[in-house]
Amino acid sequence: VIFPVLHGPFGEDGTVQGLLEMANLPYVGCGVLSSAVAMDKEVARRLFGAAGLPQVAYKLVMRNKWQREREAILEELEASLAYPMFVKPANMGSSVGVSKAKNREGLVVAMENAARFDRKILVEQAVPNAREIEVSVLGNDDPIASVPGEIVPGAEFYDYAAKYLDDNSDLLIPANLDAKTTVSLQEMAVEAFKVVEGSGLARVDFLVDGESGEFFLNEINTLPGFTRISMYPKLWEASGIPYPALVDRLVKLSLERYIDRQQNSTAHE
C-alpha cells in the first residue's frame, strides 16, 4: 500500500493518485476525482453550494482578466464584498499565496500575489472575529467525524508562517463549542466529504463568526498533515483512535477501496 505524504500540486490534486491507479497499486486517501475537486477551491465551492452547505460570500477572478481589466475588477469586488477580504489562489495548499486585504491598495497587492500561483483567484468576504475550527473525517462509504479542534493563530490569520515557521499558534482540542454546534459541524464535515466523493481521510475546515456564532464551511483538505503534532491525528487521538491504530485503519480502508475497484471491468478486457 502506498501512503502519499505529498502536499500541494502534484501531491494532493489527483495527479499522483492517477499515476498509482495506472500502476494498479492500492494507496491511502482520496482518489483522482475527489483529490482534484477538493484541490480546486472554486470548483469545491460550487459543489458545496449545490449541496446547501453554508459558505462565505466570494467572487472568482481569472488571472488573464485581472491583467486586462484591473480597475473594473476592483470596482466589482468592492461593490460585491466588504473589506477585509481574503484573496487566495484556487489551487494551492498550506495557505501559500493567501493574503488579507483591508483596503484597495492591499487588495491590489493580494491579487498580484495570488496571481503568481494560479490562473483562478478566489476573493472571499472575511468572517468577523473568525474562529478556525477543524474536523477530521475517516472512512470510505460510511465516514465518521472526530471531535472538533480550534486553531488560535499567533498571527492575524493562520498563514504559511503560522503553520510551519513560527511556534505561536495554539491548538485547542476539543474546541470549546456547545454540543449542538459540535454535532452540526461533524455532520457538515461528513457531508462535505461525501459531496467530493472522498475516501480514506480528509480534514474539513470551518470558520465560526465570533460575533453571531454562525459557521461556514471554508475548505476540505484531502491530504492533511500527518505528523504527530498535526491536527488530523491529534483530533483522532482525542476521539479515541491513537496514531498507530489510525495508520492501521487507513491502510485497511485503502485495501477496501482497492478491492472494490478491482470489480470494475475495463474497455480492453
Side-chain angles (χ1 to χ4, degrees), residues 210-229:
E211 298 172 2
S212 68
E214 187 177 7
F215 43 82
F216 305 91
L217 173 58
N218 188 33
E219 64 180 44
I220 182 168
N221 188 316
T222 55
L223 202 62
F226 214 95
T227 69
R228 290 186 180 275
I229 62 169

Side-chain angles (χ1 to χ4, degrees), residues 49-67:
L53 295 168
Q55 304 179 86
V56 298
Y58 72 95
K59 299 289 287 185
L60 172 68
V61 178
M62 302 304 293
R63 177 171 57 197
N64 57 6
K65 190 172 182 180
W66 163 251
Q67 292 168 343

Side-chain angles (χ1 to χ4, degrees), residues 180-201:
K180 183 179 179 181
T181 301
T182 294
V183 171
S184 295
L185 292 176
Q186 289 173 321
E187 291 175 346
M188 210 181 302
V190 168
E191 178 64 16
F193 187 77
K194 290 181 176 179
V195 164
V196 301
E197 297 193 13
S199 57
L201 76 163

Side-chain angles (χ1 to χ4, degrees), residues 33-61 81 85-92 98 120-127 130 132 188 191-193 195-196 204-208 215-221:
L33 174 67
S34 49
S35 298
V37 164
M39 185 69 175
D40 191 313
K41 298 178 182 67
E42 188 265 331
V43 172
R45 285 202 177 286
R46 277 191 264 166
L47 292 177
F48 295 148
L53 295 168
Q55 304 179 86
V56 298
Y58 72 95
K59 299 289 287 185
L60 172 68
V61 178
L81 306 170
M85 305 175 198
F86 277 100
V87 182
K88 56 184 71 172
N91 287 277
M92 280 300 292
V98 177
K120 297 168 69 176
I121 303 167
L122 214 56
V123 185
E124 301 172 348
Q125 181 74 63
V127 175
E132 301 191 35
M188 210 181 302
E191 178 64 16
F193 187 77
V195 164
V196 301
V204 184
D205 302 346
F206 298 91
L207 297 171
V208 178
F215 43 82
F216 305 91
L217 173 58
N218 188 33
E219 64 180 44
I220 182 168
N221 188 316

